[in-house]
Amino acid sequence: MDTKAINQGLIKTVLYLAKKSPYYKRLFSDTGIDPYTIQSIDDLKNIPTTSKTELQNNNSDFFCIEPSDYADIVSTSGTLGEPVVVPLTKNDIRRLAVNEAGSFTTAGVNNNDLVQLMVTLDMRFMAGLAYFEGIQKIGAATLRIGPGSPAVQLENIRKFSPTVLVGVPGFISKIIDYTEKNNININHTSVKKIICIGDAIRDEKFELNSIGKRIKERWHIDLYSTYASTEMATSFTECNAGKGGHLQEDLLVVEILDDEGNVLPYGELGEVTITTLGIEGMPLLRFRTGDMAFLVDRVCECGRNAVRISPIIGRKEQMIKYKGTTLYPAAIIDVLNKYTSVVNYYIEVNTDDNGIDQIQIAIAIENETEADECLSNLKDSFKVSLRVVPNIFIKSSKEIMEQISKNQGRKPKLFFDYRQNI
């Protein structure tokens, strides 16, 4: 780690925000902080953190550029509230290309690869733009298919022979299901590796979780996990070792904080808090992402010595206390993903009259005659994996699809939180 260069990047970002950002100008003024006193990462602890709510409620106050400087406009998915709009300059787009080129290189992608993008490049989706720009920067070729059906993806694999896929783990699994139902040997395709986005494929021990196992056991390819967000405009990507996402330290400063805002040591679970470097449109200073993870500082098996981040354990605001056990929706989803007979599902959480969290899970069963057996197996799995058994009920696949798709966002919503005052 080049500490001097990182500190110089931090100083530049803080002074830029003090000059350009209405929000951070107020923050420095209201707290009496002199931006010139922030000279290193160690000084960050003297600056208050910024929450997602503050970003949503004051979105335009975070903009550091005029509309005439916009090169592109992106936004968050809005899964957990009002989407956040992020303006990008031409330099910001170039930075995205540098970031994704580094990420793809970490995963072993090179200029000989043809990368099939199974994600949208429209709907103001930053990641789709970043993937395309990054692939171009390393000299590889792209096949921009978008989130089409399994049949469409497979036809393009057959026709163009891509070597790398980029897509959501759940959709990758559906492609495999489709091939098995249609007697297609998925292991006779050109695909050598898959870069999974959006959802974790590993647990906190860096072992493949249930969706990761479902993919890897049936499709004998190299599988890589990533972590990113629109607000940070940076991604963490695994190498072949699969022991955490590598940080590109010249683009981002990462802290892991407890509930009181204290910086936690390596290996301890807390909230991922980021400070962006080298961004012009909407830089962020000590932004609390809401994602729960930990950092690893040991030299990786691949030889890189940059900090790595663990798989995301869950969202802070989605933490559930159920029958004396603390858990996150991701843990519930991991159990559900073990069963191929469960074709669709969603999770609801609310509070009872005593203010205690209650969990209801709606599932659709592929074969209704197996419903009783599936329910029994699911309950056993929850008891073993989570030590608690949520309330589970069966609905039709149509009913569930209507529920998870009604927000009309970029991705289906599987978790619905109806609790008050969380």
Side-chain angles (χ1 to χ4, degrees), residues 199-212:
D199 299 313
I201 57 170
R202 298 188 190 276
D203 60 23
E204 65 273 16
K205 296 179 181 178
F206 302 103
E207 301 293 335
L208 289 174
N209 59 19
S210 59
I211 192 68

Side-chain angles (χ1 to χ4, degrees), residues 8 28 40 42 55 83 91 108-109 111 120 127 132 136 139 172 183 211 226 228 240 264 306 318 343 378 395 402 415:
Q8 288 175 341
F28 292 142
S40 71
D42 292 336
L55 183 52
N91 284 332
V109 181
N111 59 1
T120 184
F132 177 78
Q136 297 301 300
I172 301 296
N183 297 315
I211 192 68
T226 65
N240 278 327
L264 294 170
Q318 292 181 343
V343 292
L378 268 175
K395 285 192 171 185
E402 288 175 350
F415 179 71

Side-chain angles (χ1 to χ4, degrees), residues 207-275:
E207 301 293 335
L208 289 174
N209 59 19
S210 59
I211 192 68
K213 288 177 181 176
R214 282 178 64 180
I215 296 170
K216 186 70 174 175
E217 288 170 356
R218 297 184 290 168
W219 201 347
H220 306 148
I221 39 76
D222 294 329
L223 203 58
Y224 298 85
S225 181
T226 65
Y227 165 59
S229 74
T230 302
E231 295 94 340
M232 69 174 68
T234 314
S235 59
F236 301 77
T237 302
E238 288 183 338
C239 64
N240 278 327
K243 299 297 182 183
H246 286 271
L247 168 64
Q248 299 183 62
E249 295 174 308
D250 57 333
L251 301 180
L252 199 72
V253 176
V254 182
E255 303 170 276
I256 303 296
L257 305 184
D258 64 15
D259 290 343
E260 286 72 43
N262 301 309
V263 178
L264 294 170
Y266 293 112
E268 288 198 23
L269 182 68
E271 186 174 4
V272 179
T273 303
I274 58 96
T275 295

Side-chain angles (χ1 to χ4, degrees), residues 74-115:
V74 298
S75 65
T76 61
S77 63
T79 304
L80 297 175
E82 187 68 21
V84 171
V85 175
V86 181
L88 303 176
T89 66
K90 290 180 180 179
N91 284 332
D92 290 339
I93 294 175
R94 282 192 282 268
R95 181 186 175 282
L96 283 179
V98 169
N99 165 72
E100 284 303 332
S103 292
F104 280 117
T105 300
T106 298
V109 181
N110 59 48
N111 59 1
N112 294 315
D113 283 306
L114 173 58
V115 184

Side-chain angles (χ1 to χ4, degrees), residues 151-391:
V152 169
Q153 302 297 342
L154 288 163
E155 173 58 20
N156 280 277
I157 291 172
R158 183 196 66 79
K159 189 173 183 178
F160 297 104
S161 300
T163 52
V164 182
L165 303 182
V166 177
V168 178
F171 184 57
I172 301 296
S173 183
K174 290 184 183 301
I175 291 175
I176 301 172
D177 292 341
Y178 180 90
T179 64
E180 292 175 347
K181 290 178 181 178
N182 290 275
N183 297 315
I184 300 170
N185 191 328
I186 195 70
N187 289 300
H188 285 177
T189 68
S190 58
V191 178
K192 304 299 180 186
K193 63 183 61 180
I194 299 176
I195 298 175
C196 292
I197 65 169
D199 299 313
I201 57 170
R202 298 188 190 276
D203 60 23
E204 65 273 16
K205 296 179 181 178
F206 302 103
E207 301 293 335
L208 289 174
N209 59 19
S210 59
I211 192 68
K213 288 177 181 176
R214 282 178 64 180
I215 296 170
K216 186 70 174 175
E217 288 170 356
R218 297 184 290 168
W219 201 347
H220 306 148
I221 39 76
D222 294 329
L223 203 58
Y224 298 85
S225 181
T226 65
Y227 165 59
S229 74
T230 302
E231 295 94 340
M232 69 174 68
T234 314
S235 59
F236 301 77
T237 302
E238 288 183 338
C239 64
N240 278 327
K243 299 297 182 183
H246 286 271
L247 168 64
Q248 299 183 62
E249 295 174 308
D250 57 333
L251 301 180
L252 199 72
V253 176
V254 182
E255 303 170 276
I256 303 296
L257 305 184
D258 64 15
D259 290 343
E260 286 72 43
N262 301 309
V263 178
L264 294 170
Y266 293 112
E268 288 198 23
L269 182 68
E271 186 174 4
V272 179
T273 303
I274 58 96
T275 295
T276 57
L277 303 178
I279 288 178
E280 295 177 337
M282 199 182 83
L284 293 174
L285 187 59
R286 301 202 82 202
F287 173 68
R288 301 188 75 137
T289 65
D291 295 325
M292 303 296 288
F294 58 88
L295 294 179
V296 180
D297 66 334
R298 299 186 301 275
V299 176
C300 183
E301 295 172 21
C302 71
R304 295 179 177 87
N305 59 7
V307 168
R308 283 166 284 141
I309 197 166
S310 73
I312 300 303
I313 309 305
R315 298 278 306 176
K316 183 178 179 180
E317 64 264 43
Q318 292 181 343
M319 184 181 73
I320 306 165
K321 292 184 178 180
Y322 185 64
K323 297 182 179 179
T325 298
T326 297
L327 65 155
Y328 294 92
I332 299 172
I333 290 171
D334 191 48
V335 173
L336 294 168
N337 282 339
K338 292 178 181 178
Y339 293 89
T340 56
S341 55
V342 178
V343 292
N344 273 313
Y345 57 82
Y346 64 82
I347 304 161
E348 294 180 330
V349 179
N350 51 35
T351 51
D352 63 15
D353 293 338
N354 297 313
I356 298 173
D357 290 351
Q358 299 296 322
I359 306 172
Q360 293 82 36
I361 303 172
I363 63 172
I365 302 294
E366 185 173 37
N367 188 342
E368 293 184 3
T369 62
E370 300 174 354
D372 290 342
E373 181 182 0
C374 182
L375 280 175
S376 178
N377 290 337
L378 268 175
K379 290 176 181 178
D380 288 342
S381 289
F382 276 116
K383 191 170 185 179
V384 171
S385 299
L386 306 181
R387 301 189 301 277
V388 293
V389 181
N391 298 314

